Amino acid sequence: MSSVDLLRRSSYSYELPERLIAQTPSERRDMCRLMTVDRTTGQVGHALFRDIADLLHPGDCLVLNDTKVIPARIFGTSAGHAGAVETVLLRRAEGEGELWECLTRPGKKTRPGAVVAYPGGVTGHVTGVLEGGVRLIRFDYKGNFMEKLDEIGIMPLPPYITTRLEDNSSYQTVYARYAGSAAAPTAGLHFTDELLARIADKGVDIARVLLHVGIGTFRPVKEDDLTAHKMHSEYIRVTEEAAETVNRARARGGRVVAVGTTSCRTIESAADENGVLHPFSGETDIFIYPSYRFKVMDALITNFHLPESTLLMLVSAFGGYEHMMQAYRIAVAEGYRFFSFGDAMFIS
């Protein structure tokens, strides 16, 4: 396929039977299936996720995104309108008080100036509309707003998951630490504390970075020309400790293994052209698609992604377009489970 074709959204489409969209997590996190893909040869193998410990080498560095999902989906009523208003808090915005960037539905009920009443005495004032229909909403509540959100909010599951979540913790990684995400870094959902301990005991270093998942990760690509798509920025942080851990692994010849596309985007954003990772705190809108030259990452643990998504474009950039599309065809034929609660892939 020509390089021009690789810049077309339509090149990243594939057929997926609805029955393969995972509606619930695996009974045990680390017992889902794991597809292995050699990005040099395209060779595909099959394992269980718990086998990932055997695929990592002493001296490697595993990079985790320790963001924590907030129960960011709340329902209210807009003054002068019948029916509910669904609101998903994406991230805090600059300004006084609890000012948030939000997705709302239906949008006609949340035009600037609208006032939305939520349970528990929370009031939302729509102050503006940003690119892509994102609303700026200032929430008023006497007390700790985040504690109230824990009471009235629910986990913001993707629309393709229609089954009610029995346990909110199943949509949270076991190492989640810093609240701020509107969606889980789903590749990390497969890890257990015991598996991480096995990996550490093997001599694999673990670096923790942060990307608060927002609309930039899951916003659909509307333009067929990938170069015309602009990612919505998301907050990332790489501490001095994390940078030193990654750089030390690279210096001794170990592989840097990113857990999920969010960890990948974080370290690639904070690295220089020589592959040295630097401490950083701020925004990234990095969009990775074929022709991108990876600076830090040597291997990737990821889930199976939606057709025509920026995530599928990222894994195609890393694993090779033809290799990835072939792997996805095999996954469909073999009955792998797809998307957030689905099975995993290790690209090395």
Side-chain angles (χ1 to χ4, degrees):
M1 176 168 287
S2 72
S3 59
V4 173
D5 291 328
L6 295 182
L7 298 180
R8 297 294 175 190
R9 180 194 66 203
S10 51
S11 297
Y12 299 87
S13 183
Y14 65 90
E15 294 295 326
L16 180 68
E18 189 173 338
R19 62 182 172 80
L20 296 183
I21 300 175
Q23 293 295 315
T24 57
S26 298
E27 190 171 334
R28 278 189 53 186
R29 287 176 183 258
D30 60 355
M31 287 296 286
C32 72
R33 297 172 73 184
L34 176 69
M35 175 182 283
T36 61
V37 183
D38 186 313
R39 66 192 186 110
T40 302
T41 65
Q43 183 176 352
V44 168
H46 307 279
L48 295 176
F49 192 82
R50 64 183 181 183
D51 299 325
I52 195 70
D54 300 322
L55 300 174
L56 299 174
H57 307 151
D60 286 348
C61 177
L62 195 67
V63 182
L64 309 178
N65 176 12
D66 59 6
T67 187
K68 187 175 184 179
V69 186
I70 60 175
R73 190 175 178 221
I74 56 177
F75 292 86
T77 55
S78 179
H81 296 277
V85 174
E86 178 184 1
T87 305
V88 177
L89 285 69
L90 296 175
R91 65 173 187 173
R92 276 196 173 93
E94 292 185 4
E96 295 182 2
E98 293 291 343
L99 185 64
W100 287 75
E101 295 180 13
C102 305
L103 294 177
T104 63
R105 187 171 58 178
K108 64 182 179 181
K109 296 182 182 179
T110 53
R111 295 189 175 99
V115 178
V116 183
Y118 299 98
V122 176
T123 303
H125 301 269
V126 183
T127 64
V129 179
L130 305 178
E131 182 184 358
V134 174
R135 266 51 177 180
L136 274 177
I137 301 180
R138 175 171 282 108
F139 294 94
D140 291 332
Y141 172 70
K142 293 182 179 179
N144 186 305
F145 178 67
M146 296 305 294
E147 290 181 0
K148 177 54 64 173
L149 195 61
D150 283 336
E151 294 178 17
I152 67 173
I154 59 178
M155 285 298 192
L157 296 179
Y160 49 76
I161 296 178
T162 57
T163 302
R164 184 177 178 83
L165 195 62
E166 295 288 338
D167 178 7
N168 279 351
S169 67
S170 64
Y171 193 60
Q172 201 82 266
T173 64
V174 296
Y175 49 80
R177 183 179 298 177
Y178 300 103
S181 275
T186 54
L189 295 179
H190 308 297
F191 286 92
T192 64
D193 290 325
E194 293 78 13
L195 180 56
L196 287 170
R198 277 180 58 205
I199 290 169
D201 288 344
K202 188 174 182 177
V204 175
D205 286 342
I206 295 177
R208 294 170 178 261
V209 299
L210 180 71
L211 182 147
H212 283 326
V213 186
I215 191 173
T217 293
F218 54 83
R219 180 187 177 196
V221 179
K222 296 181 179 179
E223 303 84 1
D224 194 43
D225 179 0
L226 300 191
T227 62
H229 177 73
K230 172 137 177 62
M231 295 283 284
H232 195 275
S233 64
E234 294 163 307
Y235 176 79
I236 66 172
R237 182 176 68 223
V238 177
T239 64
E240 185 173 343
E241 179 184 4
E244 289 177 352
T245 301
V246 170
N247 292 333
R248 185 169 60 245
R250 286 177 57 81
R252 65 175 176 243
R255 296 176 301 174
V256 176
V257 182
V259 177
T261 58
T262 59
S263 296
C264 164
R265 292 177 61 235
T266 300
I267 60 178
E268 290 295 319
S269 296
D272 62 29
E273 292 303 315
N274 296 317
V276 177
L277 188 61
H278 296 277
F280 179 80
S281 176
E283 302 289 318
T284 184
D285 60 359
I286 188 172
F287 178 22
I288 297 176
Y289 52 86
S291 78
Y292 178 83
R293 186 181 70 82
F294 287 85
K295 297 173 287 188
V296 187
M297 187 174 73
D298 300 300
L300 174 66
I301 299 169
T302 187
N303 279 18
F304 291 90
H305 304 296
L306 276 72
E308 299 187 354
S309 64
T310 60
L311 308 179
L312 181 54
M313 294 161 191
L314 184 154
V315 299
S316 296
F318 183 68
Y321 175 83
E322 296 291 352
H323 294 337
M324 287 298 100
M325 300 311 287
Q326 174 65 9
Y328 271 59
R329 287 190 289 270
I330 293 172
V332 170
E334 294 289 333
Y336 274 72
R337 301 167 78 235
F338 278 64
F339 306 159
S340 295
F341 286 141
D343 295 316
M345 176 186 286
F346 180 52
I347 310 170
S348 62

